[in-house]
Amino acid sequence: MKMASAKYPWMVVALLWGVALLNYLDRQMLSTMKPAIMVDIPSLQSATQFGHLMAVFLWIYGWVSPVAGFIADRFSKKRIIVGSLFVWSAVTFTMGYATTFDQLYILRAMMGVSEALYIPAGLALIAEYHSDKSRSLAVGIHMTGLYMGQALGGFGATLAKDYSWNNVFQVFGGVGVLYAIVLMFLLKDKKAATVELSDSANQNKVSPLATLRLLAGTFPYWILLFYFAIPSIPGWAIKNWLPTLIAENLNIEMAVAGPLSTITIAASSFVGVIIGGVISDRWIRKHNRGRIFTSTIGLALTLPALMLIGLGTHVVHVVAAAICFGFGFGMFDANNMPILCQLIPAQQRATAYGFMNMVGVFAGAFITDFLGKSTDAGRLGIDFAFMAAIVLVALVLQLIFLKPRTTF
């Protein structure tokens, strides 16, 4: 029994890895299947209109994220995760039957609500099951599920070309519904008494107002919010517009540009979160800012990458830059929740991460809409390169001000 108990924290990571994969797969397919969908829904031929469709998910996702955090801190994380997966998978399935822009717009908004419920609950559950010795690696492995979903989403255009975009939505939506049923039996909540020494049996009774007071009064948390939000700008830009950038700048068909962009980013990010997780878990034992230093190194790698992605004129240049960006962003991504764990007690982490998710997604919604207009104006590559300067500001501020003194 003890051996099984020792292994279950990693089983939780494995189970949630599948949820993370579907989380990004279902949202990513729309961006790569655009050419196929706009044949049946002509209004999507406008990049500005398509930007609105992608951005509505992010705006809704952002507003719901703090609420999702409050809920996850007070109710069963297992039920929230299973329910979230079931609903967004059903929405994905229904998108296969959409015939108008308005229908897709409404369903995309519904997906924003349901998917927002997952990340705060999922990451908080992993953080509860894993201590400082393995927390960054556990979170990093979970993040590889997101990257794998992003990569597989790149094949949406290829599958839509061989079959139909309707069938692609229906198949993957159905898979998610079935997986939600499996999770009902295999996933378990962490018992309150054994979460961490800092927790109490009454952790679910912490009031929302007390949580807000704690977060508002924690200055390093405000720095972390800013630090999380700014890199989210290029992060979401890469997810939603890199296939279009590669297709247009390098004159490559979307059926090729989609998988090329998503697989390159996902594969390099996959390596980045694992290496970043291992380095961070070791560095934190020697220096209290070890996770912050690891995250900063990763983010620094994205600066030259963004410039070359935006201004590169050859596929080799852009792919090399994308690999550099993915690796660096992976190191950054693996350490956000672990850094948060150095600032906020366990019973309030889901709420704290919910607000982080909100500001990050709002930044993503802004850049998604902005780059739609940028594409129509022929400035997509230049604006991609300019994002490097914005990220540099966040990196400098983090090194100066983010100095956690404890670990909860």
Side-chain angles (χ1 to χ4, degrees):
M1 285 295 286
K2 289 185 178 180
M3 183 175 295
S5 177
K7 291 181 179 179
Y8 190 74
W10 291 107
M11 184 176 177
V12 169
V13 175
L15 291 172
L16 295 186
W17 189 91
V19 184
L21 183 150
L22 291 170
N23 188 280
Y24 264 52
L25 172 64
D26 290 347
R27 73 173 71 169
Q28 184 69 28
M29 288 188 298
L30 182 62
S31 66
T32 57
M33 291 197 298
K34 174 189 172 186
I37 298 175
M38 70 184 188
V39 172
D40 297 322
I41 306 177
S43 58
L44 289 179
Q45 292 178 6
S46 165
T48 300
Q49 193 82 332
F50 184 71
H52 292 328
L53 181 62
M54 299 298 288
V56 68
F57 169 88
L58 297 176
W59 287 115
I60 297 295
Y61 187 100
W63 282 116
V64 174
S65 288
V67 178
F70 279 124
I71 294 172
D73 278 333
R74 284 152 191 82
F75 300 98
S76 165
K77 294 179 176 62
K78 168 189 172 176
R79 293 181 181 179
I80 294 169
I81 291 167
V82 172
S84 174
L85 172 61
F86 183 89
V87 173
W88 92 59
S89 297
V91 168
T92 300
F93 182 85
T94 306
M95 288 178 75
Y97 295 95
T99 56
T100 67
F101 175 84
D102 289 341
Q103 289 173 352
L104 278 179
Y105 193 85
I106 292 171
L107 289 169
R108 189 73 174 170
M110 291 174 62
M111 181 178 284
V113 174
S114 53
E115 287 208 2
L117 291 169
Y118 169 64
I119 288 293
L123 289 181
L125 187 61
I126 290 173
E128 288 178 358
Y129 271 106
H130 289 268
S131 67
D132 256 350
K133 294 181 180 179
S134 60
R135 187 170 284 151
S136 281
L137 180 58
V139 170
I141 292 173
H142 171 266
M143 289 297 180
T144 64
L146 301 178
Y147 303 142
M148 184 62 72
Q150 182 181 348
L152 293 179
F155 286 96
T158 306
L159 292 174
K161 184 177 181 181
D162 294 337
Y163 301 97
S164 74
W165 64 270
N166 310 82
N167 289 336
V168 175
F169 279 132
Q170 291 161 9
V171 168
F172 287 108
V175 169
V177 169
L178 293 176
Y179 191 55
I181 295 173
V182 172
L183 284 185
M184 288 177 60
F185 298 97
L186 297 181
L187 191 62
K188 300 177 183 177
D189 280 307
K190 180 75 170 177
K191 293 182 180 179
T194 59
V195 172
E196 285 187 8
L197 293 176
S198 61
D199 294 331
S200 69
N202 295 321
Q203 64 169 332
N204 289 334
K205 297 183 180 180
V206 176
S207 70
L209 184 58
T211 298
L212 289 175
R213 286 173 179 167
L214 173 72
L215 298 182
T218 306
F219 176 72
Y221 177 69
W222 288 94
I223 299 298
L224 186 60
L225 279 177
F226 181 79
Y227 178 69
F228 186 82
I230 296 303
S232 295
I233 293 176
W236 282 103
I238 290 288
K239 293 182 183 76
N240 292 335
W241 286 106
L242 185 58
T244 300
L245 177 66
I246 291 179
E248 293 188 356
N249 282 14
L250 304 180
N251 296 316
I252 298 175
E253 290 186 4
M254 183 61 82
V256 176
L260 178 64
S261 59
T262 56
I263 290 175
T264 300
I265 293 292
S268 54
S269 297
F270 192 108
V271 178
V273 291
I274 298 299
I275 292 179
V278 171
I279 292 174
S280 179
D281 284 337
R282 292 182 179 179
W283 207 339
I284 192 65
R285 301 174 196 175
K286 299 179 180 180
H287 199 294
N288 205 38
R289 298 184 75 196
R291 299 201 191 283
I292 294 170
F293 295 149
T294 305
S295 177
T296 302
I297 291 171
L299 204 57
L301 293 174
T302 69
L303 302 180
L306 283 169
M307 297 184 66
L308 193 54
I309 287 173
L311 303 177
T313 57
H314 192 279
V315 66
V316 174
H317 301 156
V318 175
V319 169
I323 291 172
C324 184
F325 179 90
F327 182 84
F329 199 83
M331 294 181 68
F332 161 80
D333 228 4
N335 285 288
N336 290 313
M337 174 56 91
I339 291 173
L340 179 66
C341 292
Q342 294 184 261
L343 304 174
I344 305 298
Q347 62 266 38
Q348 294 159 316
R349 282 178 196 152
T351 302
Y353 197 87
F355 278 107
M356 287 173 61
N357 223 18
M358 180 186 74
V359 297
V361 169
F362 281 171
F366 164 76
I367 199 65
T368 298
D369 237 347
F370 177 82
L371 291 181
K373 299 172 185 176
S374 175
T375 300
D376 285 337
R379 289 181 47 88
L380 183 59
I382 294 174
D383 288 331
F384 250 88
F386 182 73
M387 286 187 285
I390 301 174
V391 174
L392 178 61
V393 174
L395 189 154
V396 172
L397 289 177
Q398 189 225 25
L399 283 177
I400 295 174
F401 293 108
L402 197 54
K403 300 177 182 180
R405 297 179 180 178
T406 186
T407 297
F408 289 95

